[in-house]
Amino acid sequence: MKDLYTFDANPDKAANTYQKVRQAYNSFFNELRIPFLVAKAHSGDMGGSRSHEYHIVTASGEDTVISCSSCNLAYNEEVVLIEHNSKMRKESAADLGPYQSWFGISRDRCHLVEVVVPQFLDFRGDHGLERKKVQVNTFLIRSQYPDLDLSIERPLHTFVEYWEKQQSPVSGRDWPAARSSPRLTLLHDYRVPQEYVRCRESNSPTTTLYNRLFAIIGSRLHQDSTSLDLARRQDGDECFRCKERSLKVQQAVELAHTFDLGQRYSKPLDAKFIIKPVEQGKGTALTQQDRCRTSPARQGYGHFYMGCHGIGISRIIAAVAESLADAQGLIWPRAIAPYEAVILATKAHEAVAKELWDLLTRQDPCSAPVDAVLDDRDKGFGWKLKDADLLGFPIVIILGATFTNSELCEVSVRRLGTCKNVSVAHIRDYIARTLERL
């Protein structure tokens, strides 16, 4: 991990530094020419006011990134974007079909949360609107009820069995004397009609398990009136910013992360800097907020505004290798590849291959030299061709049958899907133009 820690005197300077780091990271990944996404992220245990992640899209990624092709919005699924009634699209409840319940239980087993969402919703697919099964957005629910234990596989059964055991004669416990009473909270998606919620609250289902649940709960049922979009995002869903059905949900690998920490660590650690007197516009002044919080005895000191940033170097190598590889082997971007081009030749053209290597790598006032390597290993020509594909050279220059017949070099670029026949006289200019695209 390549880490960077920043220290500034006030929030404005810290924000400026944060943007400079983000610009540097954007330039770095643009130079790599890899398909990356910059997503708004959750600061998590690190803390701070904001953070951004840099991802490369790959099917084996551990993160889920949601992006909009219309307005370029991008955010990690862990970021909770709460949409209230005024911002949510209107849908006909009659078209949503049946509803389903999701349950979560608190760590102390005293609180059960039931979430009611539509069973199916319409999403835009390749063939128009498609009806897909709804998955519950557990990140949003966890933000509303942080004490939930999402590791429990059967929370409803766990809750009922736990509290039936508490009231059994063997346990010898009585609820009023217990540490806490059992309670049930009903949270519903905004697309679930109020009529269904009221009916659901006043008439418990007839299943045996539900009967046991309501025998335990009694009157301790709380309905959360907050109306939220509780469905997990899917491809073709509506973007909350531009209202277009252009969201795309992709798995991705995190390559870098930036955190704006503020005074999250400097105040607890009492990490301070000396404030020089402000004279004729010189020196650093306290912000009004800090001035109010600083006692006269401690005037002249301020707590740092910090930033924490990091790029995973080894992660980039592994993620790029997996993301760009095809059935033939690796495909390295130009900035990462050990060489920009490899020259392969049959035995009949080995002398010409050496001259070509010298032509490409020599200094020239009109163009930069090509970082090329000549494969002169004592191996068969076919073996070298396969090995070049496997190793992932950006450009493969072949002197084979085509050169024998017409003195043209085959220039293969797998990442661009091109294979051109180029004369020796024009090959340096052609490769220079091709490298600008890699």
Side-chain angles (χ1 to χ4, degrees):
M1 178 68 75
K2 181 69 174 178
D3 289 330
L4 169 67
Y5 296 91
T6 61
F7 301 84
D8 286 286
N10 58 55
D12 292 338
K13 290 184 177 181
N16 185 49
T17 300
Y18 185 81
Q19 292 304 321
K20 286 182 178 179
V21 174
R22 289 194 60 199
Q23 291 170 7
Y25 278 21
N26 284 332
S27 298
F28 172 74
F29 286 112
N30 281 326
E31 187 175 342
L32 291 183
R33 299 289 181 91
I34 59 176
F36 72 97
L37 290 172
V38 183
K40 182 178 179 181
H42 190 276
S43 296
D45 295 335
M46 185 68 71
S49 59
R50 57 179 168 172
S51 70
H52 290 83
E53 295 171 340
Y54 295 76
H55 294 270
I56 185 170
V57 175
T58 176
S60 62
E62 68 273 15
D63 288 313
T64 301
V65 177
I66 301 170
S67 58
C68 175
S69 58
S70 179
C71 67
N72 295 323
L73 170 73
Y75 59 96
N76 192 302
E77 188 182 34
E78 295 178 359
V79 176
V80 177
L81 299 179
I82 297 179
E83 306 173 52
H84 295 280
N85 286 329
S86 60
K87 296 184 178 180
M88 292 187 290
R89 61 187 183 275
K90 302 299 181 182
E91 297 184 73
S92 173
D95 297 334
L96 296 179
Y99 303 100
Q100 59 180 334
S101 289
W102 176 95
F103 291 92
I105 186 174
S106 61
R107 293 186 181 89
D108 62 4
R109 306 297 184 260
C110 295
H111 187 196
L112 183 71
V113 176
E114 180 179 2
V115 178
V116 183
V117 296
Q119 191 169 347
F120 299 96
L121 284 177
D122 292 332
F123 298 91
R124 185 173 300 281
D126 297 334
H127 307 289
L129 291 180
E130 300 176 3
R131 179 149 289 198
K132 298 181 181 179
K133 187 173 177 60
V134 170
Q135 295 179 326
V136 174
N137 187 345
T138 56
F139 294 108
L140 192 153
I141 297 169
R142 184 72 176 270
S143 72
Q144 301 296 298
Y145 303 99
D147 64 330
L148 292 184
D149 185 356
L150 300 184
S151 66
I152 303 301
E153 295 183 357
R154 303 173 68 194
L156 176 58
H157 289 76
T158 301
F159 183 85
V160 170
E161 292 172 358
Y162 175 83
W163 283 102
E164 285 181 341
K165 183 178 180 180
Q166 297 299 310
Q167 70 169 343
S168 67
V170 177
S171 68
R173 299 179 183 177
D174 189 18
W175 286 342
R179 177 180 55 181
S180 180
S181 299
R183 63 190 187 280
L184 170 66
T185 296
L186 179 62
L187 182 65
H188 64 92
D189 184 90
Y190 79 97
R191 286 160 287 223
V192 178
Q194 290 295 326
E195 293 77 11
Y196 177 86
V197 176
R198 284 193 291 268
C199 178
R200 172 70 182 78
E201 180 181 355
S202 59
N203 300 302
S204 61
T206 58
T207 62
T208 303
L209 190 61
Y210 269 98
N211 287 337
R212 291 162 60 190
L213 169 65
F214 278 87
I216 293 170
I217 294 299
S219 60
R220 288 179 292 273
L221 170 63
H222 168 67
Q223 181 182 327
D224 192 330
S225 59
T226 306
S227 187
L228 301 174
D229 187 346
L230 299 174
R232 190 177 182 182
R233 302 296 89 184
Q234 296 193 43
D235 285 347
D237 200 0
E238 182 181 282
C239 173
F240 85 97
R241 177 193 285 174
C242 67
K243 303 306 178 185
E244 295 293 330
R245 287 182 175 266
S246 51
L247 284 187
K248 191 169 185 62
V249 181
Q250 299 170 294
Q251 297 304 117
V253 172
E254 180 186 340
L255 305 179
H257 207 141
T258 58
F259 294 93
D260 186 357
L261 300 175
Q263 296 178 322
R264 165 74 171 79
Y265 296 96
S266 61
K267 283 192 173 182
L269 296 174
D270 201 25
K272 299 177 294 186
F273 61 95
I274 299 175
I275 301 175
K276 297 180 180 178
V278 180
E279 297 178 1
Q280 298 179 354
K282 297 180 180 180
T284 302
L286 283 170
T287 64
Q288 184 62 33
Q289 183 183 22
D290 284 345
R291 190 179 297 281
C292 295
R293 293 179 178 178
T294 306
S295 64
R298 299 176 64 187
Q299 285 286 355
Y301 295 91
H303 290 97
F304 289 108
Y305 288 83
M306 297 175 58
C308 175
H309 320 276
I311 295 181
I313 303 301
S314 58
R315 237 172 203 262
I316 291 176
I317 300 298
V320 169
E322 180 178 356
S323 176
L324 299 183
D326 61 14
Q328 295 173 265
L330 299 170
I331 303 178
W332 290 116
R334 176 189 180 185
I336 295 180
Y339 294 97
E340 294 174 332
V342 60
I343 302 172
L344 309 177
T346 58
K347 286 191 176 294
H349 303 304
E350 287 180 352
V352 179
K354 292 180 180 179
E355 294 177 2
L356 179 60
W357 177 85
D358 184 64
L359 172 67
L360 294 175
T361 58
R362 73 170 62 143
Q363 295 291 333
D364 189 289
C366 299
S367 61
V370 179
D371 187 13
V373 62
L374 173 62
D375 190 347
D376 56 359
R377 292 176 292 178
D378 188 18
K379 297 286 185 179
F381 181 66
W383 185 93
K384 292 181 181 180
L385 286 173
K386 291 182 179 180
D387 193 58
D389 285 339
L390 184 65
L391 294 178
F393 292 100
I395 297 176
V396 178
I397 305 168
I398 302 171
L399 280 68
T402 303
F403 193 84
T404 301
N405 298 330
S406 55
E407 294 189 348
L408 294 176
C409 305
E410 296 179 55
V411 182
S412 174
V413 186
R414 277 167 48 221
R415 189 171 185 188
L416 302 178
T418 61
C419 185
K420 301 287 186 180
N421 295 328
V422 185
S423 66
V424 174
H426 298 96
I427 194 168
R428 180 159 176 158
D429 291 338
Y430 176 79
I431 290 179
R433 294 194 305 271
T434 302
L435 286 173
E436 292 177 356
R437 303 167 59 191
L438 296 175

